[in-house]
Amino acid sequence: NAGVTQTPKFQVLKTGQSMTLQCAQDMNHNSMYWYRQDPGMGLRLIYYSASEGTTDKGEVPNGYNVSRLNKREFSLRLESAAPSQTSVYFCASSDPGQGLEKLFFGSGTQLSVL
Amino acid sequence: GQQVMQIPQYQHVQEGEDFTTYCNSSTTLSNIQWYKQRPGGHPVFLIQLVKSGEVKKQKRLTFQFGEAKKNSSLHITATQTTDVGTYFCRHSGYALNFGKGTSLLVTP
């Protein structure tokens, strides 16, 4: 099993450009998450999806949109990128129904906005 | 959401020394999880604690959950260079749930 797959691994954007980060998991997990990681700030939740068809804002949702396309896929869109969105983005999934909400992370996307 | 605070933010030790990171909350936690992130990598789940006073060991790593379920600690005995990375605690079930992490540097 591949686990959680994120694409792309690296991306450079100019201010104002748009892009979509893709995430897919093959573990049949109900919940999926998008985090951003900045130095000294830890992991901050952008959006999450508790189940297919639902999405909720996390701690830092401004400037982002998400789509839970199906149970496997959860995408993150930047409509108009800003330098403040330069970060490492992680997708994660979990299956809370197992009584252990263990997060499985993708390998991350390093995004630079110039 | 229930925020968890981690200390210290950074720790630099000589190989062979012990290391401890602490995770604290102002409210009672139903559980606490610990993750490790190697430099350039992604967070990887280490363990979950759910019971008051629980202690679990994984080789040189010892995890504790406080009696009041408001704090937790991760202790590494005799650090090795392979322990380098950032250790995060997390309270599952809430949106605001990761601590900011403790970055461990081990010098040979």
Side-chain angles (χ1 to χ4, degrees):
Chain A
N1 287 344
V4 180
T5 303
Q6 282 183 245
T7 56
K9 292 190 183 301
F10 302 94
Q11 184 72 50
V12 178
L13 294 177
K14 295 181 179 179
T15 297
Q17 287 185 317
S18 63
M19 79 159 296
T20 300
L21 280 64
Q22 306 288 351
C23 176
Q25 51 91 9
D26 62 3
M27 296 173 283
N28 202 35
H29 286 168
N30 285 310
S31 300
M32 297 186 73
Y33 311 78
W34 277 105
Y35 288 90
R36 62 176 288 173
Q37 185 173 36
D38 304 291
M41 299 298 291
L43 292 153
R44 293 185 292 169
L45 185 64
I46 304 171
Y47 272 93
Y48 66 101
S49 171
S51 61
E52 185 180 355
T54 68
T55 60
D56 287 284
K57 295 179 180 180
E59 183 183 2
V60 289
N62 291 345
Y64 305 95
N65 286 301
V66 291
S67 295
R68 183 74 183 265
L69 303 170
N70 47 56
K71 192 171 185 179
R72 289 187 64 248
E73 299 172 287
F74 188 39
S75 62
L76 178 72
R77 183 160 178 83
L78 287 69
E79 289 291 352
S80 180
S84 61
Q85 294 177 306
T86 293
S87 188
V88 179
Y89 291 84
F90 289 102
C91 177
S93 70
S94 71
D95 188 2
Q98 296 295 316
L100 167 60
E101 197 201 345
K102 172 181 174 181
L103 293 181
F104 292 83
F105 284 84
S107 57
T109 296
Q110 190 163 334
L111 175 66
S112 295
V113 183
L114 306 177
Chain B
Q2 294 177 315
Q3 287 279 31
V4 289
M5 308 298 291
Q6 267 188 271
I7 54 171
Q9 188 175 3
Y10 302 100
Q11 187 79 57
H12 183 183
V13 300
Q14 294 288 323
E15 190 172 24
E17 292 182 336
D18 292 356
F19 160 78
T20 304
T21 174
Y22 301 90
C23 185
N24 301 307
S25 171
S26 58
T27 58
T28 301
L29 303 171
S30 58
N31 62 71
I32 198 78
Q33 298 178 341
W34 287 94
Y35 291 77
K36 176 183 178 181
Q37 183 179 24
R38 294 182 186 275
H42 58 276
V44 174
F45 175 85
L46 293 176
I47 208 160
Q48 174 168 292
L49 306 171
V50 296
K51 298 178 182 178
S52 170
E54 189 170 14
V55 178
K56 288 187 176 180
K57 292 190 176 184
Q58 292 179 350
K59 298 184 180 178
R60 294 178 294 104
L61 277 61
T62 302
F63 303 85
Q64 296 191 38
F65 202 9
E67 293 289 343
K69 300 181 73 172
K70 290 184 177 182
N71 53 69
S72 180
S73 64
L74 159 58
H75 179 83
I76 302 178
T77 303
T79 54
Q80 299 176 359
T81 54
T82 53
D83 296 324
V84 165
T86 301
Y87 294 84
F88 293 97
C89 64
R90 173 181 182 255
H91 175 232
S92 68
Y94 289 87
L96 302 176
N97 54 21
F98 268 100
K100 292 187 177 181
T102 296
S103 293
L104 172 64
L105 179 61
V106 180
T107 304

